[in-house]
Amino acid sequence: MVRVKLENLTKRFGKVVAVDNLNLEIKDGEFMALLGPSGCGKTTPLLMIAGIYKPTKGYIYFDDVIVNDLPPRERNIGMVFQNYALYPHMTVFDNIAFPLKLKKLPKKEIEKEVRRVAKLLRIEELLDRKPAQLSGGQQQRVALARALVKKPDLFLMDEPLSNLDAKLRVVMRAELKRLQKELGITTIYVTHDQVEAMTMADRIAVLDRGKLQQVGTPEELYYKPANLFVAGFIGTPPMNFIEGTLIEKDGRIVFRHSEFDIVLPDDLYEHLQDKVPRDVILGVRPEDVIIDVPQGIKAMVYVIEPLGKDFIVHFKIGDFTLRALTSTLKYRVNDIVPISFDMSKIHLFDKKTGKAII
């Protein structure tokens, strides 16, 4: 196993900065997800760690050794991509055995290792088949087996589940997590799917436009987002954002919107008094919107989305729409309902910088 450290890592393609001064440490045996939207610079650091791309600037450490100039074959990594890249003319056995044949290992040892990983991934009965005879999930397991048979120190995965259907993706998420914990291999996993990252990773690094936005556990990113981007990207349905201004009124801090005022909790006074007045964005997650509260903000039911046991209710307040998540539905479209927020769970962001104030 190995600890990976990225120090001031930068990659430019002409004038395009794909990765911008990335500093990140992945602990020995950790499952780290690189998360962000398409084109945000997630795959580029992975390919630099693999040795496929050379950094424009900065250093890649495996433990305490700089590996910038080490060729890919000497890095002892296992890689699985979105496209499983199996050899169509070879059997499953030969696909898995391929990295070992390149190392010129004895036949008996190759046979033993292939059967070991096939058993681990529950594909023993598929060893004589060709890739065309396999389902997407089976092909994915073969690609994983081929990466694992080398006994890598580091596992790199680039959206390996995105070609699978939704049901199989849920199954494979649990399988991959079990496998990683069982083997203890340091794993870096690239995905644009926040549910994948939240359910599988020990920690998540959120990237946008080549820059690192925040690193933390799934809980830290969900409950303490560092900025507007992270707050809006993590969570389903996404966080509500309401623009307004902080003002002081009768010795208390008030969030003022054109349609309503919200008195903020007293314990925030010391933290916020030097930030008044200031244009801010109030963030509230849909599950923290409280419906049918006496003296609440008057809101009109605009759209109702059933999710099985839960409902997403879209409320219209003046010119903006707010989402609430509820398990009981007593309202119809166009009803006027008083709503409020769980004030212990609100977020405030600076409108200019996007950074979290609280």
Side-chain angles (χ1 to χ4, degrees), residues 298-351:
K298 297 280 189 291
M300 184 188 81
V301 179
Y302 187 59
V303 176
I304 296 168
E305 293 181 69
L307 294 175
K309 74 178 183 71
D310 293 323
F311 301 88
I312 301 172
V313 183
H314 296 247
F315 288 102
K316 197 94 169 161
I317 305 169
D319 59 355
F320 81 96
T321 308
L322 187 84
R323 287 175 296 271
L325 191 66
T326 179
S327 53
T328 54
L329 192 67
K330 307 177 282 186
Y331 331 101
R332 288 179 299 180
V333 172
N334 295 331
D335 281 359
I336 303 295
V337 182
I339 65 166
S340 183
F341 309 134
D342 181 340
M343 298 309 287
S344 67
K345 292 181 180 172
I346 60 162
H347 302 262
L348 282 177
F349 304 95
D350 187 295
K351 192 178 173 183

Side-chain angles (χ1 to χ4, degrees), residues 2-6 9 45-55 58-77 153-154 156:
V2 69
R3 174 174 54 87
V4 178
K5 185 179 166 193
L6 310 178
L9 198 65
L46 199 77
L47 295 174
M48 286 192 277
I49 293 164
I52 295 165
Y53 286 166
K54 207 169 171 60
Y59 299 98
I60 301 161
Y61 292 84
F62 285 7
D63 291 328
D64 297 316
V65 180
I66 295 171
V67 297
N68 287 38
D69 298 321
L70 204 65
R73 67 179 177 277
E74 290 176 31
R75 297 192 185 200
N76 196 24
I77 52 172
D153 293 327
L154 179 62
L156 304 178

